[in-house]
C-alpha cells in the first residue's frame, strides 16, 4: 500500500531486484527501526569433491596391480573401480573369487603380473601388425585400381572375394579370414587414392624445391568445352631424368597470357617452389596467349626467372612443316 500511495501503482519498478525463493534464503533482520526490512541472500552449496585413491606397491601381495589408477586383478584381469582401491576390498575379492591363492607369497603374484603384462603387450603388438598389413594391402589394391582406371566398387565386389577364394584354396580358412579384414569399400578406396595422390604431389614439390627443372605447358579443352592448363615438369633426381605431371587445372573463360601465368605462379608460390630453379619453358603451340612477345605466358615467366630460356615444341614444328610439304607436293602433282 505504501508503494501505491507514493507512486500510484503496485507494479514493481525495473530497478528493484527480483528474488526467487528457490535459489535464496529468506532471513528476517529485526532491528529497532520502525520499518523492519527482510533481507534475502543467495544460497550457496559446498561442492562435493570425489576422493581418488592411490595405488601402493604393497597391494601386489593381494593380487592387484595398477591400471590407470584403478586396481586390476592379476589372476582374472578384472579391473575394479577406484573406490575399491582399499586393502579390505581387494582382500575380499581375492578370498571370495580366488580363495585357493590367498596363501601364495608375493613372488607368485609378481610372476603372474609379469606374465599378464607380457601377454597384453603381445596382443597389442599382434593387433597393430595385422592392422598395419591390412592398411598397406588396401593402399596397394587402390593403387592398382587407379593405375588401370577401374571403378572403385570393383575392389569389394570382385577383387576381395576372388582373393579370399584363392587363399582359401591354396592355404587355409584362417588365412582367408585375414584377407577379409582388408578394408576395400568404395569410400575407402577413394580415400586411399586421394592419399596416394597427395603423397606423390608432396614428394614432387619437395624435390623441385632443391633442384633445377624445366616446364612444358599446354592449354587444351576437354569434352565439356572447359579450358584446362596442363604443365609437365622434367627434373633430375639421383642422376636420372624424370618427368611428372605438375599441374592440371581449369582456366577462366578468358584464356589470356596473364591468366595462364597467374595460375602457374600461384601454384608455385603457394608451394614455395622458387622460380630461380626453372631453367627452361616449352610451349606446345604458337598461340599469342602462350608465346606472345609482350604479354605471353612464356615472356612473363622469363621476366621473373632471369636465367630461364624458352623453346617451342618440336612435334608442333614438324606437324606444321608436314602440312606445308603436303601442300607443295599436291600442287606439283596437280601440275604434272
Amino acid at each position: 500500500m505504501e508503494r501505491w500511495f507514493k507512486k500510484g501503482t503496485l507494479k514493481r519498478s525495473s530497478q528493484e531486484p527480483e528474488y526467487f525463493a528457490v535459489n535464496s534464503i529468506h532471513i528476517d533482520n529485526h532491528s529497532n527501526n520502525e520499518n523492519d526490512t527482510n533481507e534475502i541472500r543467495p544460497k550457496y552449496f559446498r561442492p562435493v569433491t570425489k576422493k581418488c585413491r592411490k595405488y601402493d606397491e604393497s597391494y601386489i601381495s593381494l593380487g592387484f596391480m595398477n591400471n590407470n589408477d584403478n586396481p586390476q586383478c592379476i589372476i582374472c584381469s578384472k579391473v575394479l573401480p577406484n573406490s575399491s582401491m582399499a586393502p579390505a576390498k581387494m582382500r575380499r575379492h581375492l578370498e571370495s573369487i580366488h580363495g585357493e591363492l590367498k596363501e601364495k607369497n608375493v613372488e607368485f603374484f609378481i610372476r603372474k603380473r609379469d606374465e599378464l603384462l607380457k601377454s597384453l603387450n603381445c596382443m597389442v603388438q599382434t593387433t597393430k601388425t595385422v592392422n598395419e598389413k591390412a592398411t598397406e594391402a588396401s593402399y596397394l589394391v587402390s593403387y592398382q585400381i587407379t593405375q588401370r582406371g577401374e571403378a572403385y566398387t570393383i575392389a569389394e565386389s570382385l577383387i576381395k572375394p576372388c582373393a579370399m577364394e584363392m587363399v582359401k584354396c591354396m592355404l587355409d580358412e584362417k588365412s582367408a579370414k585375414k584377407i577379409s579384414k582388408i578394408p576395400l569399400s568404395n569410400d575407402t578406396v577413394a580415400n586411399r587414392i586421394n592419399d596416394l595422390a597427395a603423397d606423390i604431389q608432396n614428394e614432387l614439390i619437395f624435390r623441385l624445391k632443391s633442384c633445377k627443372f624445366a616446364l612444358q605447358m599446354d592449354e587444351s579443352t576437354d569434352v565439356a568445352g572447359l579450358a584446362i592448363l596442363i604443365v609437365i615438369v622434367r627434373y633430375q633426381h639421383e642422376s636420372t631424368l624424370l618427368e611428372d605431371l605438375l599441374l592440371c587445372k581449369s582456366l577462366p573463360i578468358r584464356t589470356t597470357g596473364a591468366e595462364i601465368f597467374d595460375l602457374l605462379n600461384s601454384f608455385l608460390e603457394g608451394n614455395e617452389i622458387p622460380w630461380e630453379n626453372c631453367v627452361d619453358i616449352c610451349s606446345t603451340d604458337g598461340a599469342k596467349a602462350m608465346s606472345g612477345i609482350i604479354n605471353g605466358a612464356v615472356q612473363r615467366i622469363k621476366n621473373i626467372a632471369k636465367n630461364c630460356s624458352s623453346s617451342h615444341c618440336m612435334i608442333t614444328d614438324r606437324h606444321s612443316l608436314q602440312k606445308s610439304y603436303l601442300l607443295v607436293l599436291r600442287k606439283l602433282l596437280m601440275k604434272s
Side-chain angles (χ1 to χ4, degrees):
M1 292 298 293
E2 293 179 358
R3 188 184 297 112
W4 184 81
F5 283 116
K6 292 180 180 180
K7 300 181 180 180
T9 179
L10 292 176
K11 294 183 179 180
R12 188 185 298 273
S13 62
S14 59
Q15 297 179 356
E16 296 182 8
E18 295 184 1
Y19 300 97
F20 298 93
V22 177
N23 298 324
S24 61
I25 300 176
H26 190 88
I27 302 175
D28 294 336
N29 294 329
H30 299 284
S31 61
N32 297 326
N33 298 333
E34 295 179 357
N35 298 327
D36 294 339
T37 58
N38 295 332
E39 183 180 0
I40 301 177
R41 296 179 182 177
K43 184 178 181 180
Y44 297 98
F45 296 94
R46 184 178 179 181
V48 179
T49 57
K50 188 177 180 181
K51 184 179 180 180
C52 182
R53 300 177 181 270
K54 300 296 183 180
Y55 179 80
D56 191 83
E57 292 297 333
S58 61
Y59 295 161
I60 189 66
S61 61
L62 301 175
F64 281 86
M65 67 177 186
N66 188 19
N67 186 357
N68 296 327
D69 293 335
N70 292 324
Q72 182 178 7
C73 181
I74 298 173
I75 308 302
C76 61
S77 303
K78 184 178 180 180
V79 180
L80 302 180
N82 183 263
S83 59
S84 299
M85 191 81 76
K89 295 182 179 180
M90 289 186 286
R91 185 179 293 106
R92 182 175 59 188
H93 175 84
L94 178 63
E95 293 177 354
S96 59
I97 306 299
H98 314 289
E100 69 279 3
L101 303 176
K102 63 181 180 179
E103 301 297 336
K104 296 292 183 178
N105 53 12
V106 181
E107 287 75 12
F108 172 79
F109 292 111
I110 293 176
R111 187 171 64 254
K112 287 292 183 181
R113 181 191 61 183
D114 296 339
E115 292 177 359
L116 178 61
L117 292 175
K118 186 177 180 180
S119 62
L120 291 176
N121 292 332
C122 292
M123 186 182 301
V124 172
Q125 188 67 25
T126 303
T127 305
K128 183 179 179 181
T129 305
V130 172
N131 292 335
E132 288 178 353
K133 290 183 178 180
T135 304
E136 183 180 358
S138 177
Y139 275 104
L140 293 175
V141 174
S142 301
Y143 180 74
Q144 296 296 330
I145 290 175
T146 188
Q147 282 286 93
R148 288 158 178 76
E150 298 291 341
Y152 297 165
T153 55
I154 195 175
E156 192 173 22
S157 61
L158 180 62
I159 297 177
K160 189 174 182 179
C162 292
M164 292 179 62
E165 293 296 332
M166 288 186 291
V167 172
K168 187 187 298 183
C169 180
M170 299 295 295
L171 299 177
D172 51 13
E173 186 73 23
K174 185 178 180 180
S175 301
K177 290 183 179 180
K178 293 182 180 180
I179 299 296
S180 64
K181 296 180 181 179
I182 301 175
L184 291 175
S185 63
N186 185 19
D187 295 337
T188 302
V189 173
N191 294 332
R192 298 286 188 262
I193 293 175
N194 292 332
D195 294 341
L196 291 171
D199 182 72
I200 293 173
Q201 184 179 8
N202 293 333
E203 179 65 23
L204 178 60
I205 292 172
F206 176 76
R207 293 178 181 179
L208 296 180
K209 289 181 180 180
S210 58
C211 68
K212 302 295 183 181
F213 58 86
L215 299 177
Q216 182 177 0
M217 299 190 305
D218 184 24
E219 181 266 325
S220 182
T221 306
D222 61 359
V223 293
L226 184 65
I228 296 176
L229 176 64
I230 301 174
V231 181
I232 299 174
V233 61
R234 178 174 291 181
Y235 60 97
Q236 183 177 358
H237 179 68
E238 296 180 355
S239 67
T240 305
L241 286 177
L242 300 178
E243 187 175 289
D244 290 313
L245 178 64
L246 179 64
L247 181 64
C248 182
K249 289 188 176 182
S250 60
L251 287 166
I253 299 176
R254 297 180 59 189
T255 57
T256 60
E259 297 291 346
I260 296 174
F261 171 75
D262 291 340
L263 183 61
L264 179 58
N265 184 47
S266 62
F267 177 81
L268 293 181
E269 290 185 351
N271 294 286
E272 299 180 355
I273 301 176
W275 275 109
E276 290 76 11
N277 293 346
C278 182
V279 295
D280 187 76
I281 181 72
C282 176
S283 60
T284 56
D285 55 12
K288 183 179 179 181
M290 190 69 69
S291 58
I293 300 176
I294 300 176
N295 295 324
V298 176
Q299 185 61 36
R300 291 174 181 270
I301 293 174
K302 293 174 68 176
N303 292 336
I304 295 180
K306 302 300 181 181
N307 298 325
C308 179
S309 60
S310 61
S311 59
H312 195 64
C313 182
M314 188 181 298
I315 298 177
T316 306
D317 294 339
R318 289 183 178 179
H319 184 66
S320 301
L321 291 174
Q322 185 179 4
K323 282 186 176 181
S324 61
Y325 286 152
L326 289 176
L327 291 175
V328 174
L329 182 60
R330 184 178 179 182
K331 290 180 180 180
L332 293 175
L333 291 175
M334 290 179 66
K335 288 181 180 180
S336 61

